[in-house]
């Protein structure tokens, strides 16, 4: 289901490292995202040595999914050489879906902007206090999507301040648990972020279902991001909590359906074509309830308000009372302005 509005929600299908370091799986993920109707498919670009120290440990969900305690070792197992991203980007262009990537270091940002020629940079929640990286990204003068998981308003404010051109910046509300429980989503933060920063706000969805995304859209989220995979049973840190291809299609369709139901923001209430037809059936008009002679006055004894709404609308009944008939009117005939003398 596609929404015709130009202001539709930008849906990011997050592949992340669910390619397991395999270019063929990466290409398949692009196909899945495209078929599901997503606007973009997002991967990750990072320098393991720059980003992770040897003492860094995996989160519990990563340990459970991979059996690996050391974060650097796990990252190496699921690393895809940057040169392969050139192939992915070209394939995305070919099939008609936007390529995105989270960048976790300066070299990755440079590669994304200068080699891959991308105009949009995604910054993950873990980098929101990495001001050196944020300043480097700000100099690139590209569109920015910044996730705000694990951060308070002061930290978000400091990060936002580093981007002088706020017109290119969007924020994502995010709960950085995998998967994130419904009771900790606190989606009202979306409204808080809109009020505090006056920026486009979206939602990075780490829940298992799609209800949070639907609510986020009703709250005005302009961007929705969600993990997906080829198969939930594949070995890797994110597969089990990701949507499978069928679930991703349903997820996108539910968002588009939500947009369609919400409609466009307007200053006036628009009546649909279907309602205009129903109005004639469901509303009442002024109808004669007995034969009326020419020159006879219209009163409660010879006219009434009845369905259908044909002729003069029911709202004008009192104005019609005591008017004079121009012509003879048979019983059960709708009264029109042309049938009465307006004196």
């Amino acid at each position: 289901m596609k929404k015709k509005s130009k202001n539709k929600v930008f849906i990011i299908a997050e592949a992340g490292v669910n390619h397991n370091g395999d270019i063929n799986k990466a290409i398949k993920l692009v196909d899945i995202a495209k078929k599901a109707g997503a606007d973009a498919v997002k991967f990750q670009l990072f320098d393991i040595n720059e980003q992770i120290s040897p003492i860094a440990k995996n989160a519990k969900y990563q340990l459970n999914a991979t059996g690996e305690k050391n974060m650097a070792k796990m990252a190496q197992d699921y690393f895809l050489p940057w040169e392969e991203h050139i192939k992915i980007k070209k394939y995305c262009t070919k099939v008609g879906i936007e390529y995105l990537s989270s960048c976790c270091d300066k070299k990755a940002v440079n590669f994304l902007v200068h080699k891959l020629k991308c105009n949009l940079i995604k910054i993950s929640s873990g980098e929101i206090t990495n001001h050196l990286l944020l300043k480097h990204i700000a100099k690139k003068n590209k569109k920015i999507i910044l996730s705000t998981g694990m951060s308070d308003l002061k930290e978000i404010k400091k990060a936002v301040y580093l981007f002088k051109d706020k017109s290119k910046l969007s924020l994502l509300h995010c709960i950085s648990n995998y998967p994130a429980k419904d009771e900790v989503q606190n989606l009202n933060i979306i409204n808080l972020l809109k009020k505090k920063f006056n920026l486009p706000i979206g939602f990075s969805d780490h829940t298992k279902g799609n209800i949070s995304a639907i609510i986020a859209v009703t709250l005005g989220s302009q961007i929705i991001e969600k993990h997906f995979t080829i198969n939930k049973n594949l070995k890797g840190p994110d597969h089990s909590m990701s949507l499978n291809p069928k679930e991703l299609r349903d997820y996108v369709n539910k968002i588009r359906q939500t947009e369609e139901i919400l409609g466009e923001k307007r200053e006036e209430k628009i009546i649909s074509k279907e309602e205009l037809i129903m109005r004639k059936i469901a509303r009442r008009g002024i109808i004669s309830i007995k034969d009326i002679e020419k020159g006879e006055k219209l009163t409660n004894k010879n006219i009434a308000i009845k369905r259908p709404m044909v002729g003069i609308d029911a709202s004008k009944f009192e104005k019609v009372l005591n008017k004079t008939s121009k012509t003879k009117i048979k019983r059960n005939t709708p009264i029109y302005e042309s049938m009465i003398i307006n004196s």
Side-chain angles (χ1 to χ4, degrees):
M1 186 177 296
K2 294 182 178 179
K3 184 174 165 37
K4 294 180 180 180
S5 172
K6 294 179 181 179
N7 299 318
K8 71 174 187 175
V9 173
F10 186 67
I11 301 176
I12 302 171
E14 182 170 1
V17 295
N18 281 347
H19 47 64
N20 285 14
D22 184 340
I23 181 63
N24 293 318
K25 283 186 175 65
I27 295 299
K28 189 170 184 179
L29 286 164
V30 172
D31 285 333
I32 291 169
K34 173 63 179 178
K35 187 175 181 180
D39 297 294
V41 57
K42 185 173 77 70
F43 295 90
Q44 293 180 12
L45 283 169
F46 54 87
D47 182 330
I48 296 174
N49 292 328
E50 190 276 344
Q51 183 187 12
I52 308 170
S53 75
I55 64 171
K57 302 297 182 183
N58 277 325
K60 184 177 180 180
Y61 82 93
Q62 294 170 322
L63 175 60
N64 292 339
T66 66
E68 177 58 57
K69 294 182 179 180
N70 186 273
M71 186 181 290
K73 178 64 170 61
M74 183 198 70
Q76 188 61 56
D77 290 340
Y78 300 95
F79 178 75
L80 189 67
W82 290 3
E83 291 72 21
E84 302 285 36
H85 285 261
I86 298 173
K87 298 175 185 177
I88 299 170
K89 171 68 161 47
K90 287 181 179 178
Y91 188 73
C92 286
T93 301
K94 179 182 176 181
V95 300
I97 188 169
E98 186 168 353
Y99 167 95
L100 294 182
S101 183
S102 292
C103 291
C104 301
D105 56 79
K106 293 180 181 180
K107 289 181 180 179
V109 171
N110 292 341
F111 184 84
L112 183 77
V113 172
H114 303 299
K115 191 71 176 181
L116 296 180
K117 307 296 183 183
C118 291
N119 293 313
L120 176 58
I121 303 172
K122 170 66 198 303
I123 306 172
S124 61
S125 295
E127 304 299 332
I128 196 166
T129 57
N130 186 352
H131 292 177
L132 291 178
L133 177 62
L134 300 189
K135 289 177 182 179
H136 181 75
I137 291 173
K139 293 176 183 177
K140 299 300 180 182
N141 197 32
K142 302 295 181 183
K143 292 182 179 179
I144 307 295
I145 298 175
L146 173 62
S147 280
T148 62
M150 305 173 290
S151 57
D152 58 32
L153 286 177
K154 288 182 179 180
E155 290 171 328
I156 299 171
K157 185 177 180 180
K158 288 179 180 179
V160 169
Y161 176 79
L162 299 175
F163 296 93
K164 302 305 179 185
D165 186 358
K166 302 295 190 293
S167 68
K168 296 185 178 182
L169 179 63
S170 300
L171 301 177
L172 297 188
H173 171 52
C174 176
I175 300 298
S176 298
N177 291 330
Y178 303 87
K181 296 178 181 179
D182 289 346
E183 58 264 33
V184 300
Q185 291 308 299
N186 201 359
L187 292 178
N188 280 318
I189 290 176
I190 291 169
N191 286 327
L192 177 64
L193 293 176
K194 284 194 291 186
K195 180 181 178 180
K196 290 290 185 180
F197 299 104
N198 193 29
L199 293 170
I201 306 298
F203 176 51
S204 184
D205 185 4
H206 292 160
T207 65
K208 285 186 174 181
N210 54 33
I211 186 66
S212 290
I214 291 170
I215 295 171
V217 172
T218 66
L219 291 173
S221 288
Q222 299 179 38
I223 304 166
I224 298 290
E225 178 181 81
K226 185 78 166 182
H227 280 85
F228 76 106
T229 183
I230 297 168
N231 188 323
K232 292 187 179 186
N233 294 320
L234 288 171
K235 185 179 179 181
D238 299 331
H239 292 290
S240 63
M241 68 158 195
S242 301
L243 300 178
N244 65 30
K246 183 178 182 301
E247 289 170 334
L248 181 63
R249 286 197 301 273
D250 181 63
Y251 187 85
V252 173
N253 287 339
K254 285 290 192 298
I255 291 173
R256 296 302 179 218
Q257 185 179 11
T258 301
E259 290 179 292
E260 192 168 61
I261 292 169
L262 284 172
E264 297 180 11
K265 291 183 179 180
R266 297 176 182 270
E267 295 298 322
E268 296 182 5
K269 183 177 182 293
I270 304 299
I271 303 170
S272 68
K273 292 180 181 179
E274 291 79 5
E275 279 190 302
L276 289 173
I277 294 171
M278 182 57 70
R279 189 160 69 175
K280 293 180 180 179
I281 298 170
R283 284 187 177 182
R284 302 190 194 195
I286 302 173
I287 294 180
S288 62
I289 54 175
K290 60 187 299 185
D291 290 344
I292 301 172
E293 298 297 325
K294 179 180 179 181
E296 185 178 348
K297 283 192 175 183
L298 305 182
T299 69
N300 286 313
K301 294 181 178 180
N302 57 23
I303 62 172
I305 298 171
K306 292 189 176 186
R307 290 177 176 175
M309 195 210 79
V310 182
I312 301 174
D313 184 83
S315 63
K316 297 181 180 179
F317 182 79
E318 292 177 319
K319 292 182 178 180
V320 171
L321 285 176
N322 296 317
K323 298 288 185 182
T324 303
S325 171
K326 279 185 180 181
T327 182
K328 186 174 183 178
I329 303 171
K330 290 185 178 182
R331 182 186 177 192
N332 293 327
T333 299
I335 306 297
Y336 289 87
E337 292 283 355
S338 60
M339 298 165 67
I340 60 177
I341 298 171
N342 290 305
S343 58

